[in-house]
Amino acid sequence: MFADVTLAQYALVALMSFIAGALGGVTGYGPGLLLPPILLPIVGPEAVVPVIAVSSLLSNTSRLAAFRRDFDARRAALIVAFALPASALGAWGYTLLSGGLILVIIGAVLLLAIPARHALLKLRGHLSARGVMAAGAGYGFLMGGTAGTGVVLLSILLAAGLNGAAVIATDAGISLVLGVVKVAVFQAAGALPLPSWIMALLIGVCATPGVFLAKRLLGTLSSRAHIRILDAIVSIGGALLIVQGLRAMG
């Protein structure tokens, strides 16, 4: 399907990646939540998660480098230990899915990520070590086979007692390790041809400058407004993906 991608579509992906980067810097929701509805009709459902997986390696590397002093190695190791095998399993399972089912699963995960985040935030600072292990395993499986689950990891870290820059740094470090394994599984399964790498690099490069725009946006909207706007966007996108998937399956 990449052979049919036009310059106008590449330009659209670049623009939306920049916007997603800016919105992600404001609310914590990254391109993984916002770009699937844009990418699906352009690259096809099978390529969406692998493309976003590669692009996230760039953003997570830069975030970890910027906040490395605040990285919580102990909690990161605890989550990675349980999330890593589950992530590899989820990524392998994704390569076995058909187009219509992929749409439904991604759409459902986008919708479920919103209440999951709110539920985890109620546990802020009170999630036990065993709870972190269990949540890490569940997150790893979702992260491996879908896109847009980063908000769940952020909520797990907040529930475990991390705050501020420590959340950003630890989230980036965990996501980077799991992302490398996820990309390796996709590459071994033949789900990452050269055009997918090119599209992923385009997304990563264009999303990065959006963070600087986010600094100005932060001063114009309240934190509740940020969350409500992104929740609405993600809900609409998730619902549309489910409808498209059910039609394709039918």
Side-chain angles (χ1 to χ4, degrees):
M1 191 167 183
F2 277 97
D4 300 323
V5 179
T6 65
L7 288 177
Q9 289 174 322
Y10 277 114
L12 174 63
V13 171
L15 175 61
M16 294 307 299
S17 298
F18 174 78
I19 294 173
L23 292 175
V26 171
T27 63
Y29 286 68
L33 271 173
L34 303 174
L35 287 180
I38 303 297
L39 287 174
L40 278 165
I42 297 176
V43 304
E46 288 83 1
V48 170
V49 172
V51 166
I52 291 179
V54 174
S55 67
S56 68
L57 295 181
L58 296 175
S59 59
N60 287 320
T61 298
S62 61
R63 284 196 300 145
L64 180 60
F67 296 95
R68 60 186 179 277
R69 293 183 178 178
D70 299 288
F71 180 67
D72 189 319
R74 184 179 66 84
R75 285 192 175 90
L78 186 62
I79 292 177
V80 167
F82 287 84
L84 195 59
S87 177
L89 179 62
W92 174 77
Y94 178 87
T95 65
L96 305 178
L97 299 177
S98 62
L101 185 57
I102 290 174
L103 295 178
V104 174
I105 291 176
I106 295 177
V109 169
L110 291 179
L111 292 178
L112 291 174
I114 297 172
R117 177 177 59 79
H118 288 292
L120 285 168
L121 285 178
K122 292 181 180 180
L123 297 174
R124 187 163 188 160
H126 300 288
L127 189 63
S128 65
R130 290 185 178 180
V132 171
M133 295 176 191
Y139 164 74
F141 185 76
L142 285 176
M143 183 266 190
T146 59
T149 56
V151 65
V152 176
L153 177 57
L154 287 171
S155 302
I156 292 173
L157 295 174
L158 288 169
L162 271 65
N163 292 286
V167 174
I168 298 174
T170 308
D171 169 81
I174 294 170
S175 299
L176 182 59
V177 174
L178 298 182
V180 169
V181 174
K182 182 176 179 178
V183 169
V185 172
F186 286 144
Q187 185 67 43
L192 276 170
L194 181 59
S196 291
W197 282 92
I198 294 174
M199 182 67 78
L201 292 175
L202 174 67
I203 293 171
V205 170
C206 293
T208 301
V211 176
F212 295 97
L213 176 61
K215 292 182 179 180
R216 294 188 177 184
L217 293 176
L218 280 170
T220 61
L221 295 172
S222 67
S223 59
R224 286 188 177 183
H226 302 157
I227 294 173
R228 288 176 180 174
I229 290 173
L230 268 296
D231 281 355
I233 294 173
V234 171
S235 297
I236 293 172
L240 289 175
L241 292 179
I242 291 175
V243 171
Q244 291 174 3
L246 292 175
R247 287 179 177 176
M249 294 171 65

